[in-house]
Amino acid sequence: MRHTRADFPKDFIFGAATSSYQIEGHGQGGAGRTQWDDFAATPGNVVRAENGARACDHYNRFEEDLDLAAGMGLDAYRFSTSWARVLPEGTGTPNPEGLDFYDRLVDAMLARGLKPFPTLYHWELPSPLVDKGGWRNRDIAEWFGEFTEVIMGRIGDRVHAAAPINEPWCVAWLSHFMGAHAPGVRDIRAAARAMHHVLLGHGRAIEVMRGLGMKNLGAVTNHEYVLPADESDEAAAAARMYDGIYNRWFLSGIYSGTYPPDVLDMLEAHMPKGWEDDMKSISQPVDWAGINYYTRKLVSPGDTGLPGDLHEGVGDLPQTTMGWEIYPEGLYGMLTRVGQAYARNIPIYVTENGMSASDVIQNGEVHDQHRIDYLNIHMDAVQKAISEGIDVRGYFIWSLLDNYEWALGYEKRFGLIHVDFDTLERTPKQSYHALKTALKR
Ligand code: FCB
């Protein structure tokens, strides 16, 4: 790596991120059924209909995985807690085995000097709550509050920092307008409701965690850097709307307590009654802003002319195996934008950044110079933002392990550690070893 720890501010945190459904193995430990089990069981949704029933079997191998994380010299580990593992029915009776698991997991982090950074919800909604409308139903804020109380009542005393919801755009728009993620809904009314309720859930969880006496609470939003596909007025308008739906809706809701008027114009007819009264709860102060960043998009109008129909294009930059262009300028752009316009007095963490790639396995070694290059140029972007006064306090790499990449199944490899999904053997990649050297104290 071109960078070492010494290039960053003294207490800068380096971490790696994962999520429960993507690694744990949801078929064990008494976890309830989730919307991702159902989505994957429906033909055509997920590559090879793969699901998270076994995944990386982290549920049984977490000690080994945390040994590897600590062995790399990481300071922190961002993970998520599965709602369905803790409350198999979504509400009501907890699964003691699930609570014990997260309890042991947090203790295992602390024992290795890793700061626990949990996210409460990373997409595996319990199926019984989907039956009741899931994120379309306003009651989800209360259900989520109950889950927050139960899980944080157990581990909240030992975590370093916590956030309620991973990537609200994915929870709402990607899953209820585009239908690309569970529950696979394509409906503008459902989408408008989810766009609001996901933030109401965020607010409710923050309230509950404050009530438990927890500190250092943040929000994790995902962002793409948006550019018009060409110089036409139509492309400019489409890019502005895409940016509104993707970026401004969530940033403005959480950090300013308002929704962007252009997006609201489009969604207002579909919003739940009385949404205005929720803005205070949604925008209650948080202690840090988490930014997930991967790529840029070149946007133009879609074919139908219907609201929200936008074409996401890519340019001619090198791409990852996700088909995402590699564009570190966008990370710098989002950090400065968020720092200057939204998270004005609070620190920012890059809570996810990384690449999927075709890593080359030779004589038992996993070569991924491409990932090292990717990390180098994105760390440059972080440094540049810091040098211009943006208060970035940490950088988390997605992901610690190769894992279940949602609708794309197991073939998109993002890990610093290679996982053989037949034998479940872990092999640290070249990027892991490079980071280990870079992070040495
Ligand atoms: C993010 C998700 C994470 C992973 C990466 C590649 O949007 O938070 O679970 O899928 O993308």
Side-chain angles (χ1 to χ4, degrees):
M1 302 246 2
R2 264 197 281 110
H3 289 284
T4 71
R5 193 185 269 293
D7 303 345
F8 286 83
K10 193 171 135 279
D11 293 321
F12 194 84
I13 289 178
F14 288 93
T18 62
S19 92
S20 50
Y21 193 81
Q22 291 176 277
I23 65 167
E24 284 175 5
H26 232 262
Q28 42 196 338
R33 200 171 170 84
T34 83
Q35 63 177 1
W36 270 94
D37 301 309
D38 303 328
F39 188 72
T42 310
N45 283 340
V46 177
V47 171
R48 290 181 296 271
E50 287 167 345
N51 63 30
R54 186 166 88 135
C56 307
D57 191 35
H58 176 72
Y59 187 76
N60 294 308
R61 296 165 198 250
F62 68 91
E63 301 265 3
E64 174 189 352
D65 294 338
L66 294 178
D67 281 344
L68 287 167
M72 205 189 323
L74 297 179
D75 309 299
Y77 177 57
R78 178 169 174 253
F79 65 109
S80 79
T81 50
S82 163
W83 191 338
R85 183 176 296 294
V86 171
L87 294 170
E89 294 297 317
T91 57
T93 313
N95 167 29
E97 234 189 283
L99 282 169
D100 288 348
F101 170 67
Y102 291 116
D103 200 52
R104 283 184 284 134
L105 189 68
V106 167
D107 282 345
M109 284 173 224
L110 294 174
R112 291 163 176 78
L114 293 165
K115 293 181 166 57
F117 263 69
T119 300
L120 279 156
Y121 179 75
H122 200 128
W123 308 352
E124 57 288 289
L125 193 64
S127 300
L129 298 183
V130 182
D131 297 339
K132 297 184 189 163
W135 292 104
R136 306 159 87 152
N137 186 336
R138 180 185 175 80
D139 292 346
I140 196 158
E142 286 314 309
W143 306 332
F144 190 49
E146 180 181 334
F147 165 54
T148 305
E149 182 99 40
V150 173
I151 181 64
M152 287 305 170
R154 184 69 178 264
I155 64 171
D157 57 333
R158 279 158 293 150
V159 306
H160 180 77
I165 291 170
N166 180 67
E167 304 191 344
W169 177 85
C170 293
V171 175
W173 200 257
L174 183 68
S175 308
H176 295 82
F177 187 82
M178 299 171 68
H181 274 192
V185 175
R186 295 184 67 247
D187 182 283
I188 195 165
R189 181 177 165 94
R193 278 146 205 272
M195 290 287 271
H196 182 64
H197 294 148
V198 73
L199 291 181
L200 187 62
H202 158 85
R204 182 72 195 119
I206 294 285
E207 266 160 28
V208 169
M209 291 194 280
R210 294 259 186 249
L212 290 169
M214 290 174 62
K215 303 208 163 57
N216 209 12
L217 310 179
V220 174
T221 50
N222 56 314
H223 301 286
E224 284 180 351
Y225 195 82
V226 185
L227 292 164
D230 57 49
E231 280 166 16
S232 65
D233 291 348
E234 290 76 14
R240 187 163 168 75
M241 181 52 80
Y242 189 90
D243 181 64
I245 296 168
Y246 207 110
N247 298 321
R248 284 181 283 123
W249 180 271
F250 303 100
L251 292 170
S252 178
I254 293 172
Y255 301 107
S256 311
T258 57
Y259 288 140
D262 52 342
V263 185
L264 198 53
D265 261 1
M266 177 181 86
L267 293 182
E268 195 143 31
H270 312 288
M271 292 287 284
K273 270 210 184 70
W275 61 266
E276 297 89 340
D277 303 337
D278 297 328
M279 297 315 288
K280 213 170 153 215
S281 163
I282 287 174
S283 61
Q284 64 192 285
V286 288
D287 307 304
W288 51 272
I291 300 298
N292 293 359
Y293 173 83
Y294 292 92
T295 192
R296 71 167 185 180
K297 286 284 161 58
L298 306 182
V299 179
S300 54
D303 302 329
T304 64
L306 287 170
D309 186 9
L310 303 168
H311 177 72
E312 302 176 24
V314 289
D316 44 24
L317 300 177
Q319 297 175 11
T320 70
T321 56
M322 294 291 279
W324 293 346
E325 283 184 290
I326 299 176
Y327 188 64
E329 297 82 355
L331 176 58
Y332 164 77
M334 284 316 305
L335 286 171
T336 47
R337 181 179 183 193
V338 171
Q340 287 161 4
Y342 297 102
R344 278 173 296 257
N345 304 308
I346 53 173
I348 301 178
Y349 291 92
V350 178
T351 32
E352 282 182 30
N353 178 236
M355 87 182 293
S356 68
S358 308
D359 306 326
V360 180
I361 308 180
Q362 244 169 11
N363 306 326
E365 286 181 5
V366 187
H367 298 275
D368 64 342
Q369 183 61 43
H370 37 256
R371 188 169 283 104
I372 297 176
D373 296 341
Y374 182 100
L375 296 176
N376 272 327
I377 56 182
H378 285 81
M379 285 189 193
D380 288 344
V382 173
Q383 273 196 322
K384 183 164 177 225
I386 294 175
S387 73
E388 292 174 15
I390 305 297
D391 187 9
V392 191
R393 301 267 179 100
Y395 178 75
F396 288 75
I397 297 158
W398 185 272
S399 180
L400 181 68
L401 306 167
D402 290 340
N403 60 44
Y404 178 64
E405 181 45 40
W406 307 113
L408 300 172
Y410 288 95
E411 73 188 22
K412 303 295 176 198
R413 294 179 175 272
F414 275 91
L416 297 166
I417 298 166
H418 179 271
V419 177
D420 179 324
F421 289 108
D422 295 322
T423 63
L424 294 172
E425 189 190 340
R426 274 77 164 144
T427 309
K429 300 181 188 176
Q430 186 186 357
S431 55
Y432 173 102
H433 296 295
L435 274 161
K436 182 172 174 164
T437 306
L439 296 180
K440 208 165 254 147
R441 285 186 192 277

